[in-house]
Amino acid sequence: MDYSRLISDKMLGVKASAIREIFKVAGQPDVISFAGGLPAPESFPVDAIKAICNDILDNEPITALQYGISEGYAPLKELILARMQEKEKIDTTNDDIIVVSGSQQGADLVAKVLLNEGDGVICEEPSFIGCLNTFRTYNAKLYGVPMNEDGMDLAVLEKTLQENKNIKLIYTIPTFQNPSGITSSLEVRKGMLRLAEQYGVMILEDNPYGELRFSGEAIPTLKSMDTAGVVLYLGSFSKVFSPGLRLAYLIVNKGMMEKLVVGKQATDVHTNVFAQMIAARYLRDYDIDSSIEASRVLYKHRCSLMLSCMDACFPKCVSFTRPEGGIFIWATMPEGIDSGKLMLEAVERKVAFVPGSAFMTDIEKPSNCFRLNYSTMSDEKIEKGIDILGSLLRERL
């Protein structure tokens, strides 16, 4: 049967994540993969989770295995809000929280609630492919705003808002951005807030990496400075606890929560209760801050090692970011070089990365940039992989 005629219009233009497709190759045991966005497996608190699971099933099995409420497991919500007030200075007086099945679902719910077909979404250029695809499935029109060293170009952002009256949402990852590793300055953050208020649009602040700072000074979240209720804050446990549990949370103005809850009910009723209970127990009974600090130390070492190898091996015409946290480095080659073609050659030499086109609003346009991840590979593999990649770059450039 020819299924192509049955596929909905909203899915016809959406392609599979390039990263997920690269994983099929990068997952081979002899490939050194800088393609993923995975936390280091060493950071998983396996023993703690095992003990928590046993305790829950011994003492609260019915709660864990029964249906839950759509807004989320109440003890976990309270712990998250307390943590956000302490760590991010987010005053939740006028806000509420919903626990979602990963950040991806959080973005999907925001899109479901806010976007009609043809509505505009401003994204950083480059930006996270997962959310770009989410917006595409709602037939939103994407407007890319280039990134400077200190974040989104405010002049281009304002011009885009002036010229396009269909825009409803600005999507940003202001801290250790995926894929660039760039952190938006305080000035840029304040400018984004000012423009969002001025033009009556919302901001989705995606902050999965904020607690992974290993150098420099922390910068306030947009949500902590939001006095007009224009920021939707998306936080996650994937990079600081466990991605497999699929736990994230949206903090939004109370006026928006009702529709988000209805949207979630129509999607999956509620987030996995057992997983929420595991996270709540871990936050309550264990020292997550010590675990996060261990990840920071590890990522600082691996990032420094990768950067020093890139300094030694890459041609001088290739520039790259020097992140203060997170898990990504963004490299830029001279104009006219297609990183998609280079990636195919790199895979033949058993090294994988993600070409820059995957992170652009126009995924068909070749890109001279590529993303490297340093969080999961050993020192030996980082050194070997960057040496191989450097040799390929020197040959081609």
Side-chain angles (χ1 to χ4, degrees):
M1 182 175 182
D2 179 14
Y3 295 103
S4 60
R5 65 182 181 83
L6 302 177
I7 303 299
S8 68
D9 292 343
K10 66 178 178 293
M11 291 301 295
L12 285 174
V14 181
K15 295 186 177 183
S17 165
I19 301 172
R20 294 295 163 188
E21 295 303 302
I22 292 170
F23 274 179
K24 296 175 183 178
V25 176
Q28 298 174 8
D30 59 341
V31 173
I32 298 172
S33 177
F34 302 134
L38 310 176
E42 305 96 303
S43 69
F44 299 157
V46 177
D47 291 339
I49 291 175
K50 187 185 301 183
I52 290 168
C53 288
N54 288 335
D55 184 62
I56 290 172
L57 291 175
D58 284 342
N59 296 293
E60 295 185 80
I62 304 306
T63 303
L65 302 178
Q66 188 56 278
Y67 285 117
I69 62 172
S70 301
E71 290 86 344
Y73 180 58
L76 178 60
K77 291 174 59 180
E78 292 171 5
L79 287 162
I80 292 171
L81 289 174
R83 186 171 180 81
M84 288 299 98
Q85 289 173 334
E86 176 191 355
K87 300 292 182 180
E88 303 293 354
K89 304 298 184 290
I90 294 177
D91 179 8
T92 57
T93 304
N94 298 313
D95 294 316
D96 205 347
I97 184 173
I98 180 171
V99 181
V100 292
S101 302
S103 293
Q104 195 71 41
Q105 186 183 67
D108 184 79
L109 288 176
V110 169
K112 180 186 289 189
V113 169
L114 288 183
L115 301 178
N116 294 314
E117 185 170 339
D119 282 343
V121 179
I122 291 177
C123 306
E124 293 157 337
E125 189 88 283
S127 190
F128 172 47
I129 185 175
C131 283
L132 294 181
N133 270 349
T134 292
F135 303 138
R136 289 181 181 117
T137 62
Y138 289 91
N139 283 342
K141 183 172 176 55
L142 302 181
Y143 298 90
V145 173
M147 294 282 282
N148 296 324
E149 290 183 358
D150 63 344
M152 191 182 285
D153 188 316
L154 290 179
V156 178
L157 173 60
E158 182 163 21
K159 187 173 185 289
T160 305
L161 287 165
Q162 287 173 344
E163 295 178 350
N164 301 279
K165 304 306 179 185
N166 64 327
I167 291 170
K168 279 190 177 177
L169 183 67
I170 299 170
Y171 173 65
T172 179
I173 310 171
T175 307
F176 317 132
Q177 198 243 17
N178 180 4
S180 70
I182 290 172
T183 295
S184 297
S185 66
L186 181 60
E187 180 184 1
V188 167
R189 296 177 193 222
K190 288 181 176 179
M192 292 174 65
L193 282 170
R194 173 180 57 80
L195 291 171
E197 293 178 30
Q198 180 180 340
Y199 289 91
V201 302
M202 302 296 293
I203 296 175
L204 176 57
E205 179 180 15
D206 193 358
N207 191 28
Y209 313 105
E211 293 199 77
L212 298 177
R213 176 177 288 280
F214 47 69
S215 64
E217 297 295 325
I219 302 174
T221 61
L222 281 84
K223 186 63 180 172
S224 68
M225 300 183 286
D226 177 28
T227 58
V230 299
V231 177
L232 313 166
Y233 182 88
L234 183 54
S236 174
F237 287 105
S238 289
K239 301 303 187 291
V240 297
F241 184 45
S242 163
L245 292 179
R246 306 307 302 133
L247 291 176
Y249 46 93
L250 270 168
I251 300 176
V252 306
N253 188 275
K254 286 183 169 68
M256 281 198 63
M257 186 54 65
E258 179 184 356
K259 294 302 181 186
L260 287 169
V261 171
V262 172
K264 182 164 176 61
Q265 289 170 350
T267 300
D268 67 352
V269 183
H270 64 79
T271 299
N272 184 303
V273 178
F274 195 8
Q276 293 184 76
M277 293 178 73
I278 292 170
R281 292 290 187 89
Y282 191 78
L283 286 174
R284 187 192 72 184
D285 299 337
Y286 292 82
D287 188 356
I288 192 172
D289 290 323
S290 293
S291 176
I292 293 172
E293 178 59 28
S295 295
R296 291 191 193 110
V297 172
L298 178 63
Y299 295 161
K300 180 176 183 178
H301 167 72
R302 288 180 175 170
C303 180
S304 297
L305 177 61
M306 181 172 281
L307 287 172
S308 65
C309 292
M310 292 168 72
D311 284 333
C313 298
F314 280 19
K316 299 305 179 186
C317 59
V318 178
S319 61
F320 38 88
T321 56
R322 296 181 181 272
E324 296 181 332
I327 58 176
F328 300 116
I329 296 170
W330 184 248
T332 302
M333 300 179 291
E335 291 290 341
I337 305 298
D338 184 353
S339 61
K341 294 180 180 179
L342 189 76
M343 182 269 294
L344 297 176
E345 294 187 65
V347 167
E348 289 180 358
R349 304 187 189 195
K350 304 301 182 181
V351 177
F353 60 81
V354 185
S357 57
F359 306 100
M360 304 299 178
T361 53
D362 181 2
I363 58 175
E364 301 296 336
K365 184 179 178 181
S367 170
N368 62 321
C369 302
F370 57 91
R371 190 191 76 176
L372 298 171
N373 164 260
Y374 51 77
S375 60
T376 60
M377 291 293 102
S378 66
D379 289 7
E380 180 184 4
K381 288 187 175 180
I382 289 174
E383 292 171 348
K384 182 178 178 181
I386 295 300
D387 182 60
I388 293 171
L389 191 52
S391 295
L392 175 60
L393 288 168
R394 291 194 300 273
E395 291 173 22
R396 295 293 171 264
L397 302 182

